[in-house]
Amino acid sequence: MSASGGTKAIVAALAANLAIAVAKFVAFLFSGSSSMLAESVHSLADSGNQGLLLLGGKKAQREATPQHPFGYGRERYIYAFLVSIVLFSVGGMFAIYEGYEKIKHPHEIEAWYWPVGVLVFAIIAESFSFRTAIVESNLTRGKLSWTQFVRRAKAPELPVVLLEDLGALVGLILALAGVSLALGTGNGVWDGIGTLCIGILLIVIAIVLAAETKSLLLGEAAGVDDVEKIKGAVVDGDTVTRIIHMRTLHLGPEELLVAAKIAVRSDESAAEVAAAINAAEDRIRTAVPIARVIYLEPDIYDEEAAAAGTNPGRTPGGASESPESAGSAGSAGSAGSAESAESAGSAEASGA
């Protein structure tokens, strides 16, 4: 996703949630509805979450430093993870507590028109925010289903806003149902049940967000399409004959690290190999523009050693390499040796 698209969705959600939070709290003061109190805290927490996402996006733009040579792109993941914690603790747990108290000590809702009117207003405002998030997501979602988009997106902002807005809309419907049943039956327990359901919903969404952002924090590889583009760009069929093995890692939503051991012809000179590496880096950046940090290590590929599978453990993950990755089994003459890996810098061109 583009940073501008994510920012637009965040700002729309922030504006909607601030207005809704104020309206809900006023409705709570006049009606005494626990659903309205839970929803006002929920909207306030969502507003704080959007603030966290904006702050994370700002901090991620800082230049790289000697202490952080790959930059601060992952700060966006950290702040997205904080959002899930806030949603779980402030939103979910508070709503469950309020729901339990209202079920235990029910009381009638006063001035019913306040909570009903505010909930209708909130549904309209949240629908606007949700529509904005959907429109911005569709610009990058492609053919992915919504579930696939949330699970595979490398930029956390849009999935977070989408899930928050979805949870907010469902929560508003639950609150409206709880208030309506409490008014219709004269039993305030229904208001508490609605509040309890809102809390459970928020906790489920928080857990999903935490799981997805945890994966991003741990470090995810490039998507399947980008990996295939990189593989196609590396090999020129002349000096670079194949990829022995390759690793990719997102340093941030829009910055990718590519590290690969490539096979070159044994009769090429050092100058020819260096020129081939530089050309391969240019092709990679053309195919996948977010591939900004590239390390290519040249080696001599030995088909017999690869077929024999000697020393697959010398290269991390080498034993599980796919045939398309040249069955690297960590073997290419000296390929996969710890000494060769450590001396990669003398024969590679990062071009970063």
Side-chain angles (χ1 to χ4, degrees):
M1 97 168 189
S2 66
S4 60
T7 301
K8 184 176 180 180
I10 294 170
V11 170
L14 177 60
N17 280 314
L18 284 175
I20 292 170
V22 172
K24 287 175 180 176
F25 190 71
V26 171
F28 160 70
L29 292 177
F30 280 95
S31 67
S33 168
S34 67
S35 290
M36 295 309 303
L37 178 59
E39 276 295 309
S40 64
V41 173
H42 173 198
S43 294
L44 190 62
D46 281 353
S47 300
N49 288 341
Q50 272 97 55
L52 287 173
L53 292 176
L54 290 172
L55 179 62
K58 184 69 175 178
K59 285 183 169 292
Q61 295 174 5
R62 289 179 293 171
E63 296 293 330
T65 64
Q67 290 77 24
H68 298 89
F70 292 114
Y72 293 85
R74 284 193 174 183
E75 287 230 33
R76 288 165 69 178
Y77 300 150
I78 293 172
Y79 281 87
F81 189 76
L82 290 176
V83 165
S84 67
I85 296 174
V86 172
L87 195 64
F88 178 89
S89 57
V90 178
M93 296 305 293
F94 179 81
I96 287 179
Y97 170 78
E98 277 297 314
Y100 170 77
E101 286 296 316
K102 188 59 182 285
I103 292 173
K104 190 175 179 181
H105 307 290
H107 60 80
E108 291 187 9
I109 295 176
E110 302 172 0
W112 63 269
Y113 42 85
W114 274 102
V116 172
V118 167
L119 286 172
V120 171
F121 162 74
I123 289 174
I124 294 173
E126 283 290 358
S127 297
F128 167 76
S129 174
F130 193 38
R131 179 184 178 279
T132 301
I134 289 174
V135 170
E136 295 300 323
S137 298
N138 280 334
L139 296 177
T140 55
R141 185 168 63 95
K143 297 181 180 179
L144 296 177
S145 67
W146 286 109
T147 301
Q148 291 172 328
F149 175 72
V150 170
R151 292 185 61 84
R152 298 182 187 180
K154 305 304 180 184
E157 291 84 358
L158 282 176
V160 168
V161 174
L162 278 168
L163 288 176
E164 274 192 351
D165 286 350
L166 177 61
L169 278 173
V170 176
L172 288 168
I173 293 171
L174 290 172
L176 185 59
V179 170
S180 299
L181 287 170
L183 291 172
T185 62
N187 188 350
V189 169
W190 287 107
D191 187 29
I193 293 174
T195 307
L196 197 63
C197 291
I198 292 169
I200 294 172
L201 170 70
L202 293 181
I203 287 176
V204 170
I205 291 176
I207 291 173
V208 172
L209 283 177
E212 294 305 318
T213 52
K214 173 191 172 186
S215 178
L216 292 169
L217 276 171
L218 289 174
E220 288 190 356
V224 176
D225 291 342
D226 283 345
V227 168
E228 292 304 315
K229 289 178 183 178
I230 293 170
K231 287 181 178 180
V234 171
V235 178
D236 62 6
D238 184 15
T239 302
V240 182
T241 59
R242 67 167 60 213
I243 297 173
I244 298 173
H245 65 74
M246 183 176 76
R247 298 287 184 273
T248 62
L249 179 68
H250 269 274
L251 300 174
E254 291 148 6
E255 187 170 17
L256 187 66
L257 180 148
V258 179
K261 179 171 287 190
I262 58 175
V264 298
R265 298 187 185 280
S266 58
D267 56 352
E268 299 286 353
S269 67
E272 290 171 329
V273 170
I277 288 175
N278 290 333
E281 290 178 352
D282 290 339
R283 293 194 300 271
I284 291 172
R285 290 194 175 93
T286 299
V288 182
I290 66 171
R292 300 176 186 173
V293 182
I294 304 173
Y295 297 98
L296 300 180
E297 177 186 356
D299 212 328
I300 309 301
Y301 183 72
D302 187 331
E303 291 191 11
E304 292 183 1
T310 49
N311 259 337
R314 285 184 176 233
T315 300
S320 61
E321 289 288 342
S322 63
E324 292 79 11
S325 302
S328 96
S331 57
S334 62
S337 69
E339 295 80 10
S340 176
E342 291 173 358
S343 63
S346 64
E348 68 193 5
S350 71

